[in-house]
Amino acid sequence: MLKIIDRYIVKKYLGTFSFMLILLSIVVLVIDVQQKIPRIENATAIDAKLNLTYFLIHFYPFWIINLVMTFLSILVFISVIYFTSRMANNTEIVAVISSGASFHRFARPYLVTSLFIAVVSLGVNHFVLPWANIQKNQLEAYTYNAANKEKVLGTAPVSAQLSKTEYIFVNSWNKREKRGSGFVYQKFDKDRKLTYELKASEANWDKTKKLFVLNSYTEKTINKNETEKLANGFDLKKSFGHDPEELFPNELLGQNKTTPELLKFIKRETEKGNSNLNAHLNELHQRTSMPVSVIILTFLALSLSSQKKRGGLGINLALGISLAFVFVFSFEALKVVSENKSMSPALAMWFPNIVFFPLAAFLYLKRANQ
């Protein structure tokens, strides 16, 4: 059962955290909308329905969910530093300890609340956030600058490995219109000899029938005796087992899948021989490591701010914000390191926790023994 002091701390924790969350969301939303209005206006020129109102309804709510989950542990860290520093400055912590309660007992509601937030964020990360990302990623490219928008929506050569013996190459594929030119499908035998080749001048995706429509195609089948059988036609509908987003994935695809779906996708791509999966593995491991960091950073913040210091709240907040930036920067930097295959994704996404956990444990035990 929670006692009065426990309920008081839990209320302080959740109240401060909620205030910080709402404040951050409003401030960042206003700044981001102001910055991206010219790009949204460019999107309106492409499609009249893509106006500012449409983005505020169909993009920004889901963008905010993504933003909050990305910076959740930092919000928790700063919130705990803020309200605990105020309690220390008001000598509330001294009063609790003087009444006979140990520091470990005082820290119990911090543990309970951080566990609650971590469990909720774990569920959101694995199952709710991917749904929000699907809505967000449908429009996010329109908020990019011209170069980055072209990478996501523009035309570029693409390729796919369907299995260890099947490949697709498209010389020019438009990702927004889902159509391209210079289509080639090749199949090899176990000795890496070509057994079948399908070429088409144009290819487009029929989203209703979930098939590729190949125009002006030619087929070549190579028999075991090395004779060839040729065929051609004007229109061929063919399935390759997946839609274009799955065949020609970008870095956003992993964000759109729930964890069971992402695990299936990674397993399938691994079986096909695809070794460029670190971005998706980063996404997978980060969904668990970030909620765990909520607990670690809660105790780090408690240890740093539970004593009255010269400089008071200001020095604690300055220290907290500095550590928060180090934490966020390390995650983003390690993502790049992992994607360049210089570190395993699991180690990269857990490394900040591995570093901060012993620091938090040392400072907590030091504070508890004072």
Side-chain angles (χ1 to χ4, degrees):
M1 292 291 292
L2 292 176
K3 296 186 177 180
I4 294 175
I5 185 62
D6 297 323
R7 290 196 294 270
Y8 177 73
I9 292 174
V10 169
K11 184 178 177 181
K12 283 271 191 183
Y13 191 143
L14 294 178
T16 307
F17 171 69
S18 300
F19 173 76
M20 292 282 189
L21 190 153
I22 294 169
L23 181 64
L24 173 75
S25 300
I26 293 173
V27 171
V28 174
L29 176 63
V30 171
I31 293 173
D32 195 77
V33 170
Q34 287 291 331
Q35 182 186 16
K36 292 178 178 174
I37 280 179
R39 296 174 188 175
I40 293 173
E41 289 174 348
N42 291 336
T44 307
I46 298 172
D47 188 338
K49 79 172 184 178
L50 300 178
N51 52 36
L52 180 58
T53 303
Y54 189 86
F55 272 82
L56 288 173
I57 296 172
H58 295 92
F59 172 73
Y60 275 107
F62 308 106
W63 180 82
I64 287 291
I65 294 173
N66 181 277
L67 180 79
V68 167
M69 298 312 299
T70 300
F71 294 99
L72 181 71
S73 54
I74 302 306
L75 283 172
V76 165
F77 185 58
I78 295 174
S79 298
V80 173
I81 282 184
Y82 179 78
F83 83 81
T84 306
S85 295
R86 293 194 64 181
M87 289 178 67
N89 288 341
N90 295 333
T91 65
E92 294 176 71
I93 297 176
V94 172
V96 173
I97 302 299
S98 299
S99 68
S102 67
F103 188 77
H104 299 301
R105 177 63 185 84
F106 173 75
R108 186 186 298 173
Y110 286 84
L111 175 62
V112 171
T113 312
S114 63
L115 278 171
F116 170 75
I117 294 174
V119 170
V120 171
S121 64
L122 195 66
V124 172
N125 274 353
H126 285 282
F127 297 100
V128 178
L129 185 58
W131 165 78
N133 284 334
I134 291 173
Q135 317 304 318
K136 173 183 75 74
N137 291 339
Q138 288 176 351
L139 295 171
E140 186 164 35
Y142 293 102
T143 67
Y144 293 165
N145 59 35
N148 289 330
K149 183 166 69 174
E150 182 64 22
K151 289 180 183 178
V152 179
L153 297 178
T155 301
V158 294
S159 62
Q161 184 175 352
L162 301 180
S163 68
K164 293 182 178 179
T165 58
E166 295 176 277
Y167 302 86
I168 290 177
F169 305 92
V170 185
N171 186 49
S172 179
W173 180 259
N174 187 287
K175 297 166 188 172
R176 184 168 65 90
E177 297 180 359
K178 297 180 182 177
R179 61 187 305 117
S181 59
F183 179 94
V184 179
Y185 164 75
Q186 294 178 328
K187 186 174 183 179
F188 297 82
D189 62 17
K190 63 181 180 180
D191 297 319
R192 307 302 296 168
K193 291 183 178 180
L194 183 67
T195 59
Y196 177 79
E197 184 176 65
L198 172 63
K199 293 184 177 181
S201 61
E202 292 184 352
N204 63 81
W205 174 251
D206 186 335
K207 65 180 181 180
T208 304
K209 296 181 180 179
K210 298 189 181 301
L211 296 168
F212 281 90
V213 180
L214 308 178
N215 303 121
S216 301
Y217 70 92
T218 59
E219 289 181 287
K220 180 171 69 174
T221 304
I222 302 173
N223 300 315
K224 291 183 178 180
N225 59 5
E226 297 190 357
T227 58
E228 297 181 358
K229 179 182 177 182
L230 302 176
N232 61 72
F234 295 103
D235 184 45
L236 176 66
K237 294 178 180 177
K238 191 170 180 66
S239 171
F240 294 100
H242 307 287
D243 60 25
E245 286 80 7
E246 294 273 346
L247 288 174
F248 316 124
N250 55 35
E251 64 276 9
L252 300 178
L253 179 66
Q255 297 180 10
N256 296 350
K257 293 182 177 295
T258 62
T259 296
E261 293 170 342
L262 184 56
L263 287 168
K264 288 179 182 177
F265 172 77
I266 291 171
K267 181 181 178 182
R268 185 174 69 242
E269 292 297 305
T270 303
E271 289 172 351
K272 285 160 46 177
N274 186 353
S275 60
N276 297 316
L277 294 171
N278 280 18
H280 304 303
L281 289 167
N282 286 344
E283 173 69 23
L284 177 66
H285 292 293
Q286 186 177 348
R287 291 180 182 182
T288 302
S289 66
M290 289 298 280
V292 171
S293 69
V294 167
I295 302 169
I296 295 171
L297 292 181
T298 291
F299 279 87
L300 179 59
L302 170 63
S303 305
L304 290 171
S305 58
S306 58
Q307 275 189 313
K308 192 172 183 178
K309 297 185 182 76
R310 183 179 298 175
L313 179 60
I315 191 68
N316 285 339
L317 279 178
L319 179 62
I321 291 170
S322 299
L323 285 172
F325 273 108
V326 170
F327 189 83
V328 172
F329 176 77
S330 64
F331 256 110
E332 296 305 314
L334 287 168
K335 276 186 184 180
V336 175
V337 171
S338 172
E339 288 172 12
N340 291 332
K341 300 184 179 180
S342 301
M343 183 183 288
S344 74
L347 179 59
M349 292 299 96
W350 283 94
F351 192 75
N353 287 345
I354 293 171
V355 171
F356 275 73
F357 174 74
L359 176 63
F362 170 76
L363 292 175
Y364 174 78
L365 292 174
K366 181 181 177 182
R367 174 67 183 92
N369 292 327
Q370 285 179 344

